[in-house]
Amino acid sequence: MKQQLSILLVPLDPVHDLGLRMINHRLQESGHNTTILPPDLPLEEAVKKAAEHSFDYILVSRTMGYGVVELLARFVDLLDAAGIRARSKIIIGGKAMTPELAAELGFDKGFTDRCTVEEAVAYIEGRTYEPNQLALKREKRDITASYSYEVKNPELAELLDAITDEVLAWAEDKTSPGIQRARLREEMIRQGESIASSLLSEYLALCDEPIVEYYTKGRLIKGTRTITPDEVAALNSIHKSANVRSIQHLDSQPRVIIFTGSGCPLMDVLHNHIAAEWGIDGTIFICPSWVARLEGLLQGLIAHEEDGTIPTLENIALVKRHLRPNLYFQVRAHRGLNTPEMAVYASHFRVDFTKINPVYGSMNGGTDPARLVLDAVDAIRTVSKAGVAFDIPANDELSGIPTAKNFAGMLFTAALARKLGARPILKPLLCFAPYAMIYGQMDNNFVDYNAAKILALRALFDAPIWTGEPVGFLTHEDDRVQSGTTTALHSGLAASLGVDMLTFASTDESYSRGPITIASRIDTFNALRTMFRFLGDATFAPTPKCREYADRLQEDIIAVLKGVKEKGSMVDALYEGHFGTREEGANPGRAGRHTVAKRAS
């Protein structure tokens, strides 16, 4: 049974007593006897009240900083002289206080202005304070579990069925160097093979020269270096503490994900650790762009001097090993010559998500359409077998490609995934879309057209939505306050639209042109937390234009896919501009061109 305590609350401040009144309310709810004094009492009168009864605790608050040391030191001396210190514990908190100053002045305990009501009450009741259980105990939920993946529009369902059947029939007897390497990598992982593996020569025969030279001559790719054992060992000295914050105000609000990919897996570990303290829900392992253009993957613990961490088994393992188990982890596979092999990595590590989009990767990611469509089929089969979900990024919109063409490609990939038994996640952008810049859909506001994207997708396909990547793309300026504000506004819009997850950037990401600082990440964490608290269950209110835009998007998506079906070849449709023309910003990739071959029977 909880002990009933007697507590005196003393606001030693001219006017501020709100914090003590909140604590008093909670203490009374818990069955304790409390007496709260008004603010701005003379010290002698407060001490006289304290002497009238044998209080277990005396709680003091102080907000104003002027004269605080002299005032509080005199108060403690008066309590001591009255014999009150011998029978009561004296606790202080407030904006003017630190634990160190409280101890120096003779208080039994000191709290800063960040102390919560729950923390103060737990201390008084002698309980261990368990901070912010929403963040600390929240488990990773399967964001795909509640969706049926029903295509809601019958005409769209027929189109997607026909197009995906054509792609699977086309891919049935074909292979590529990426697919062949993926099979070798699976066997190497299964056997635990090292660089001296008998399979290595077969693997290197399918790789580009820089990869071959790394394995055979130890020649590092420019801008990289090996990581030392001492550097890895130093990670063990990281102080590990409980997560005491949550970015979300309500559990129903979207899970929030950050990019890491500093180039150094050690730095990624540190960023992930600090970000977890501030309440993020997961992290994305970002690779350098050149990884998508070279056939083959490196091996070992390697750092890279520019953005993007090299996706070796060892680098991924290091980052994952130091990641809190209740955080989501994504390893991308989506847009390059190593897509099938990266899907093998994602499956091997049982990550929560990977990323696959053959349309984006071949229109704006630099990979040949035929090669990437084929490789994507293989990659989807791999992650489907392993039970790894994947998102379908729609970043080709950033090149000016019409949103309807962008979404048609995303829905094709989602339908292909369902046919192969996988769990796709739609990933539209909430951004200042270049297409809308040109044609005026965002001249009035950023809400209507972005909200229309979500409404259109929901009307067509019952699937999870993870807005990326990041939210607010092309609205950030070279100012940390502005950048944090626009990220928070777009995140609030995402929350009001009921999306499942969102990815956000740090406030210096639009202009740093170099390493991302943790201080700038924290700017954004605080901005999102403030927005989610401000919004709660409330929502943004789009204008009637939003519905007009959503209806038009649905019509245009179906029109795009009609053209693809009439073409009779998804690959040809990609080359010929059905998912974006050169004038619209789409450029079919060249990496891996002419590498698709008939599979040996």
Side-chain angles (χ1 to χ4, degrees), residues 401-576:
I401 295 173
T403 308
K405 293 186 176 183
N406 170 266
F407 281 11
M410 182 164 55
L411 291 171
F412 153 75
T413 305
L416 180 65
R418 291 306 295 162
K419 196 156 282 189
L420 295 172
R423 295 177 294 135
I425 301 165
L426 305 180
K427 202 168 207 178
L429 285 169
L430 298 187
C431 66
F432 189 12
Y435 176 77
M437 294 181 194
I438 296 169
Y439 293 100
Q441 290 93 334
M442 291 185 160
D443 286 354
N444 182 272
N445 64 73
F446 288 165
V447 173
D448 286 339
Y449 196 65
N450 279 319
K453 297 176 189 178
I454 307 302
L455 296 183
L457 290 173
R458 286 242 169 86
L460 294 173
F461 196 43
D462 184 40
I465 295 179
W466 173 355
T467 54
E469 188 127 275
V471 293
F473 220 128
L474 298 181
T475 67
H476 304 98
E477 297 175 4
D478 291 3
D479 177 89
R480 284 167 59 175
V481 174
Q482 187 278 342
S483 183
T485 301
T486 192
T487 292
L489 289 169
H490 283 82
S491 299
L493 177 60
S496 73
L497 292 167
V499 307
D500 299 279
M501 301 181 91
L502 63 88
T503 306
F504 64 98
S506 70
T507 57
D508 61 355
E509 210 150 333
S510 69
Y511 67 87
S512 69
R513 301 169 185 89
I516 304 303
T517 64
I518 195 63
S520 295
R521 288 198 187 277
I522 291 170
D523 288 341
T524 320
F525 301 157
N526 282 326
L528 262 68
R529 180 180 297 108
T530 302
M531 172 54 76
F532 285 156
R533 178 63 185 89
F534 175 82
L535 196 62
D537 278 328
T539 61
F540 285 74
T543 77
K545 273 286 184 183
C546 175
R547 174 52 60 189
E548 178 184 324
Y549 293 148
D551 291 344
R552 179 62 184 271
L553 278 173
Q554 294 174 61
E555 294 170 5
D556 290 350
I557 289 167
I558 290 173
V560 170
L561 293 171
K562 279 183 178 178
V564 176
K565 181 187 176 185
E566 290 170 5
K567 182 64 186 175
S569 166
M570 177 68 183
V571 171
D572 288 348
L574 285 164
Y575 284 123
E576 295 178 14

Side-chain angles (χ1 to χ4, degrees), residues 157-204:
E158 186 275 328
L159 290 168
L160 290 173
D161 191 54
I163 295 167
T164 51
D165 280 348
E166 181 274 321
V167 166
L168 291 173
W170 170 84
E172 187 173 357
D173 62 348
K174 294 178 177 64
T175 189
S176 74
I179 293 173
Q180 293 171 61
R181 284 196 310 276
R183 301 293 83 78
L184 289 168
R185 180 65 69 179
E186 286 172 333
E187 187 61 19
M188 293 168 80
I189 290 172
R190 190 183 70 81
Q191 294 183 15
E193 298 285 346
S194 69
I195 193 170
S197 164
S198 60
L199 299 173
L200 184 62
S201 59
E202 292 182 58
Y203 181 86
L204 294 181

Side-chain angles (χ1 to χ4, degrees), residues 287-301:
C287 311
S289 59
W290 54 259
V291 170
R293 298 191 300 270
L294 285 178
E295 300 270 16
L297 297 173
L298 299 176
Q299 177 174 287
L301 288 167

Side-chain angles (χ1 to χ4, degrees), residues 357-378:
N357 188 348
V359 178
Y360 164 49
S362 60
M363 289 290 95
N364 290 94
T367 306
D368 173 64
R371 169 65 183 272
L372 193 53
V373 169
L374 179 66
D375 282 3
V377 171
D378 184 85

Side-chain angles (χ1 to χ4, degrees), residues 205-522:
L206 300 164
C207 294
D208 284 335
E209 184 177 356
I211 305 297
V212 175
E213 291 193 344
Y214 171 79
Y215 282 97
T216 59
K217 300 179 181 178
R219 184 173 296 165
L220 290 167
I221 290 177
K222 184 179 179 181
T224 67
R225 69 170 180 87
T226 55
I227 295 171
T228 69
D230 287 345
E231 289 176 305
V232 176
L235 291 176
N236 296 325
S237 65
I238 296 175
H239 174 67
K240 296 179 174 62
S241 62
N243 185 354
V244 297
R245 293 172 180 263
S246 173
I247 289 176
Q248 294 86 354
H249 175 57
L250 303 173
D251 191 54
S252 58
Q253 290 172 326
R255 298 298 187 251
V256 293
I257 310 295
I258 64 167
F259 295 109
T260 49
S262 63
C264 176
L266 305 171
M267 187 63 69
D268 291 347
V269 167
L270 293 171
H271 273 248
N272 288 338
H273 174 75
I274 296 170
E277 298 282 330
W278 286 82
I280 61 106
D281 296 293
T283 183
I284 304 173
F285 188 103
I286 301 293
C287 311
S289 59
W290 54 259
V291 170
R293 298 191 300 270
L294 285 178
E295 300 270 16
L297 297 173
L298 299 176
Q299 177 174 287
L301 288 167
I302 309 171
H304 181 228
E305 66 181 14
E306 297 179 359
D307 285 352
T309 302
I310 297 171
T312 66
L313 285 170
E314 294 81 4
N315 280 353
I316 297 170
L318 179 69
V319 172
K320 188 172 189 290
R321 184 165 69 250
H322 287 274
L323 195 68
R324 292 187 182 183
N326 67 331
L327 297 186
Y328 296 103
F329 187 40
Q330 180 179 60
V331 174
R332 303 200 300 181
H334 68 300
R335 61 183 177 89
L337 300 177
N338 298 297
T339 293
E341 196 171 353
M342 288 302 301
V344 171
Y345 280 12
S347 301
H348 169 66
F349 286 107
R350 289 295 192 268
V351 300
D352 300 288
F353 312 107
T354 186
K355 187 185 303 290
I356 303 169
N357 188 348
V359 178
Y360 164 49
S362 60
M363 289 290 95
N364 290 94
T367 306
D368 173 64
R371 169 65 183 272
L372 193 53
V373 169
L374 179 66
D375 282 3
V377 171
D378 184 85
I380 292 170
R381 283 196 170 109
T382 297
V383 298
S384 174
K385 183 178 178 181
V388 174
F390 73 90
D391 73 60
I392 309 166
N395 284 32
D396 32 342
E397 187 176 11
L398 297 174
S399 300
I401 295 173
T403 308
K405 293 186 176 183
N406 170 266
F407 281 11
M410 182 164 55
L411 291 171
F412 153 75
T413 305
L416 180 65
R418 291 306 295 162
K419 196 156 282 189
L420 295 172
R423 295 177 294 135
I425 301 165
L426 305 180
K427 202 168 207 178
L429 285 169
L430 298 187
C431 66
F432 189 12
Y435 176 77
M437 294 181 194
I438 296 169
Y439 293 100
Q441 290 93 334
M442 291 185 160
D443 286 354
N444 182 272
N445 64 73
F446 288 165
V447 173
D448 286 339
Y449 196 65
N450 279 319
K453 297 176 189 178
I454 307 302
L455 296 183
L457 290 173
R458 286 242 169 86
L460 294 173
F461 196 43
D462 184 40
I465 295 179
W466 173 355
T467 54
E469 188 127 275
V471 293
F473 220 128
L474 298 181
T475 67
H476 304 98
E477 297 175 4
D478 291 3
D479 177 89
R480 284 167 59 175
V481 174
Q482 187 278 342
S483 183
T485 301
T486 192
T487 292
L489 289 169
H490 283 82
S491 299
L493 177 60
S496 73
L497 292 167
V499 307
D500 299 279
M501 301 181 91
L502 63 88
T503 306
F504 64 98
S506 70
T507 57
D508 61 355
E509 210 150 333
S510 69
Y511 67 87
S512 69
R513 301 169 185 89
I516 304 303
T517 64
I518 195 63
S520 295
R521 288 198 187 277
I522 291 170

